[in-house]
């Protein structure tokens, strides 16, 4: 480490944990996958943190308080609860809604946040791919603007971290760590939407993107750039988020989202092929790396320039994984741990349409169809063809990301990691080059069976995004 690095550390006031000591944090999206991992990590590693306010929307069945209690009793929080039974008292539920004025908070709660909070993590977003453009903008752009408004009112704001996605700029093959101009001026976008109630031309707005989710996230990033003012701000762009890599529970995940249904289908022998080149890089990033990078970025950005710092939180630049590696790991673990439901779960990777049609018919559909007939004969409910239909919809939804690949710049990530002390590197590991993909995917495959198999594949959200 050079002297300049030591100088930066000194200017930053010590360790990452020191930055959070006696400070209060406000989190949106706390019930999402990354949100939960973020909350757990802050409680476990930043013990001197004052309060963590979590924006939650009450439902018809449960209040915000009840939802937070449910969250805190999940398996993910077992270790931190055992270490300190009173630590969960630091979590404060705030009833609200990202789409409403003042984030749906009452005046008392809003004033409390403005007075006490100094660090804000905005992780909430609608990750549905098939939303109408107006709905996607309403949540992912207008919600982001409301969070920034709160940051401007906060009396002691030290850092604002916006969780975006590495796929907000899929119109580019090489994605730099910078905020690109929005696809279109926001006012013009709304004008086009107002003039086209049938959404025909409005949908044409997103023609440069695979879906309205990535389009809205690109617009949201630009709004962060335009409106952050003097607030120290960082944008984190995770790629396809996988389960926890290291702590506290390797392989933990809680949702059928992102690429998980595909991994499930490959391991079980339900899916036998993917439309892609074996050498194509698929960019995965474990949830804890994305969270650790976010925590570190907040601690460092307050001493940086007023410029918004962008971090492409991706594995491709330093530790790439190909689809060939992915298929090999799924096949290996399927056999090793007996995860497969059908014999010899071989996976074929090709872009030849004729070949893929043959494989899908002979090796994919036919065995499942015959298995369903056998279930009927035995008086049981057929299920495999329905599972295949569900998985096929997921595959079609993600086809754009399976078929294509991108290169992501990571200079800012590397520079950020270089500022960390040895102890912070151990406490907040965020270097993708350290991942052993073989071990991680064994945990991933086993994690699906351990944490998700009590939830039917039928409940999988086929419109899930890449990182939430």
């Amino acid at each position: 480490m050079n002297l300049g690095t030591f100088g930066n550390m000194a200017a930053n006031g010590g360790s990452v944990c020191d930055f959070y000591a006696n400070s209060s944090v406000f989190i949106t999206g706390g019930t999402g996958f990354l949100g939960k991992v973020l909350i757990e990590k802050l409680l476990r590693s930043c013990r001197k943190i004052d309060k963590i306010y979590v924006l939650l929307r009450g439902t018809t069945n449960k209040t915000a308080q009840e939802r937070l209690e449910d969250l805190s009793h999940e398996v993910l929080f077992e270790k931190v609860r055992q270490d300190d039974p009173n630590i969960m008292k630091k979590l404060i539920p705030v009833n609200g809604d990202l789409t409403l004025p003042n984030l749906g908070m009452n005046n008392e709660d809003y004033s409390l946040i403005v007075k006490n909070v100094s660090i804000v993590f905005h992780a909430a977003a609608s990750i549905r791919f098939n939303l109408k453009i107006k709905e996607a903008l309403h949540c992912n752009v207008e919600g982001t603007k409301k969070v920034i408004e709160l940051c401007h009112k906060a009396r002691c704001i030290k850092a604002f971290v916006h969780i975006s996605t590495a796929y907000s700029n899929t119109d580019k093959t090489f994605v730099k760590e910078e905020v690109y101009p929005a696809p279109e001026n926001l006012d013009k976008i709304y004008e086009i939407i107002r003039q086209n109630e049938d959404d025909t031309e409005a949908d044409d707005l997103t023609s440069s993107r695979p879906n309205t989710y990535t389009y809205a996230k690109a617009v949201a990033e630009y709004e962060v750039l335009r409106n952050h003012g003097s607030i120290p701000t960082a944008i984190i762009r995770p790629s396809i988020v996988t389960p926890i890599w290291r702590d506290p529970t390797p392989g933990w995940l809680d949702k059928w989202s992102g690429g998980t249904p595909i991994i499930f289908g490959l391991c079980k022998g339900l899916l036998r092929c993917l439309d892609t080149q074996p050498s194509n890089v698929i960019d995965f990033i474990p949830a804890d790396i994305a969270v650790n990078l976010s925590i570190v970025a907040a601690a460092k950005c307050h001493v940086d320039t007023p410029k918004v710092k962008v971090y492409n939180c991706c594995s491709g630049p330093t530790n790439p994984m190909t689809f060939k590696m992915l298929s090999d790991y799924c096949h290996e673990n399927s056999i090793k741990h007996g995860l497969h439901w059908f014999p010899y779960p071989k996976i074929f990777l090709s872009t030849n349409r004729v070949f893929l049609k043959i494989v899908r018919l002979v090796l994919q559909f036919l065995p499942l169809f015959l298995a369903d007939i056998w279930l009927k004969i035995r008086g049981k409910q057929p299920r495999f063809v329905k599972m295949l239909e569900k998985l096929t919809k997921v595959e079609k939804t993600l086809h754009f990301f399976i078929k294509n690949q991108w290169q992501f710049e990571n200079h800012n990530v590397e520079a950020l990691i270089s500022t960390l002390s040895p102890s912070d590197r151990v406490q907040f590991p965020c270097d993708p080059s350290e991942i052993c993909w073989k071990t991680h995917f064994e945990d991933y495959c086993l994690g699906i069976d351990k944490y998700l198999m009590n939830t039917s594949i039928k409940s999988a959200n086929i419109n899930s995004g890449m990182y939430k």
Side-chain angles (χ1 to χ4, degrees):
M1 188 179 293
N2 59 36
L3 292 177
T5 298
F6 279 116
N8 287 339
M9 289 174 58
N12 200 18
S15 70
V16 171
C17 290
D18 289 340
F19 175 75
Y20 290 91
N22 304 314
S23 295
S24 289
V25 174
F26 177 68
I27 297 175
T28 71
T31 57
F33 181 37
L34 281 184
K36 291 178 183 178
V37 179
L38 172 61
I39 291 171
E40 192 279 338
K41 182 62 176 178
L42 287 172
L43 289 174
R44 180 163 48 86
S45 295
C46 303
R47 292 301 180 90
K48 293 182 181 180
I49 200 169
D50 186 16
K51 296 288 190 299
I52 300 177
Y53 296 92
V54 185
L55 186 71
L56 295 167
R57 183 172 53 191
T59 65
T60 54
N61 298 321
K62 293 185 178 181
T63 64
Q65 177 69 47
E66 290 171 334
R67 290 189 68 195
L68 189 62
E69 288 177 359
D70 289 345
L71 181 150
S72 64
H73 284 91
E74 292 189 17
V75 174
L76 176 66
F77 293 88
E78 280 186 0
K79 183 175 181 180
V80 72
R81 286 199 310 268
Q82 291 172 359
D83 291 344
D84 184 355
N86 295 317
I87 196 73
M88 307 310 289
K89 293 180 181 179
K90 292 178 180 286
L91 290 183
I92 310 296
V94 180
N95 189 62
D97 187 325
L98 199 67
T99 65
L100 299 177
N102 286 343
L103 299 173
M105 290 186 271
N106 60 41
N107 292 336
E108 182 179 352
D109 285 342
Y110 198 86
S111 298
L112 182 68
I113 299 300
V114 167
K115 179 182 178 181
N116 295 330
V117 164
S118 55
I119 305 151
V120 175
F121 291 95
H122 177 42
S126 172
I127 58 175
R128 293 178 60 191
F129 281 2
N130 64 348
L131 284 178
K132 292 292 185 182
I133 182 62
K134 184 176 181 179
E135 298 175 63
L137 293 172
H138 186 53
C139 179
N140 296 338
V141 178
E142 296 304 325
T144 299
K145 290 172 68 175
K146 291 182 179 68
V147 175
I148 296 174
E149 288 174 9
L150 180 143
C151 289
H152 279 293
K153 294 176 182 177
R155 298 176 186 175
C156 51
I157 190 73
K158 294 194 295 184
F160 168 55
V161 176
H162 173 67
I163 310 295
S164 185
T165 171
Y167 301 98
S168 57
N169 298 284
T170 53
D171 57 324
K172 297 169 177 60
T173 55
F174 181 77
V175 181
K176 296 181 179 180
E177 289 177 302
E178 63 183 47
V179 179
Y180 291 93
E184 188 57 82
N185 179 275
L186 187 56
D187 291 335
K188 185 175 180 180
I189 293 173
Y190 284 132
E191 182 62 28
I192 292 173
I193 292 173
R194 282 192 294 268
Q195 293 175 0
N196 297 270
E197 294 182 0
D198 61 356
D199 282 337
T200 302
E201 187 176 343
D203 285 344
D204 289 341
L205 283 168
T206 63
S207 60
S208 63
R209 300 296 197 280
N211 49 59
T212 56
Y213 167 73
T214 54
Y215 182 91
K217 294 299 282 186
V219 176
E221 283 190 7
Y222 189 66
E223 290 303 306
V224 171
L225 179 67
R226 285 201 324 124
N227 297 302
H228 82 285
S230 59
I231 300 170
T233 301
I235 295 176
I236 311 297
R237 291 179 179 156
S239 53
I240 305 172
V241 176
T242 61
I244 288 177
W245 165 47
R246 283 188 175 173
D247 295 321
T249 309
W252 182 85
L253 70 170
D254 71 336
K255 289 181 176 64
W256 291 100
S257 59
T260 297
I262 301 296
I263 305 300
F264 166 84
L266 296 174
C267 286
K268 296 301 180 185
L270 300 171
L271 291 178
R272 299 290 184 147
C273 60
L274 291 175
D275 182 12
T276 189
Q277 295 285 357
S279 60
N280 275 7
V281 172
I282 180 168
D283 205 298
F284 284 123
I285 199 74
D288 46 336
I289 284 188
V291 161
N292 288 332
L293 186 68
S294 300
I295 292 172
V296 170
K300 301 292 182 176
C301 74
H302 76 294
V303 296
D304 211 335
T305 64
K307 182 181 178 182
V308 173
K309 208 74 172 179
V310 180
Y311 300 96
N312 287 337
C313 186
C314 308
S315 59
T318 57
N319 193 4
M321 186 171 73
T322 64
F323 274 96
K324 176 64 167 56
M325 293 167 63
L326 169 66
S327 64
D328 286 347
Y329 294 148
C330 288
H331 179 262
E332 177 183 328
N333 286 296
S334 179
I335 299 298
K336 179 179 178 180
H337 298 287
L339 303 176
H340 54 95
W341 290 341
F342 293 86
Y344 194 61
K346 174 68 176 177
I347 303 159
F348 297 90
L349 305 172
S350 175
T351 56
N352 186 302
R353 292 185 179 182
V354 175
F355 175 75
L356 290 173
K357 283 184 178 180
I358 293 173
V359 172
R360 284 168 179 157
L361 175 62
V362 178
L363 298 180
Q364 194 166 276
F365 174 77
L366 190 57
L368 272 59
F369 177 73
L370 293 174
D372 273 351
I373 291 178
W374 176 241
L375 287 175
K376 282 185 179 181
I377 292 173
R378 297 173 62 193
K380 297 185 177 181
Q381 187 71 24
R383 59 186 178 126
F384 294 115
V385 171
K386 286 186 178 179
M387 281 189 181
L388 179 60
E389 290 174 352
K390 187 74 173 180
L391 291 170
T392 300
K393 289 181 180 178
V394 177
E395 186 182 359
K396 287 181 178 178
T397 302
L398 301 179
H399 181 259
F400 180 84
F401 304 95
I402 295 173
K403 184 85 171 181
N404 299 289
Q405 62 177 340
W406 295 264
Q407 289 183 300
F408 299 102
E409 183 181 63
N410 72 326
H411 298 324
N412 288 345
V413 172
E414 290 184 331
L416 182 65
I417 294 173
S418 73
T419 68
L420 297 178
S421 66
S423 60
D424 276 342
R425 286 195 182 208
V426 172
Q427 187 79 284
F428 302 95
C430 51
D431 188 349
S433 67
E434 298 177 359
I435 303 168
C436 173
W437 287 118
K438 183 175 182 178
T439 302
H440 181 57
F441 261 80
E442 183 171 12
D443 292 334
Y444 194 171
C445 295
L446 292 174
I448 292 174
D449 262 33
K450 183 175 182 179
Y451 300 111
L452 295 185
M453 285 305 290
N454 61 336
T455 305
S456 172
I457 187 64
K458 293 179 182 179
S459 68
N461 179 6
I462 66 169
N463 297 310
S464 291
M466 294 286 97
Y467 73 97
K468 295 291 191 302

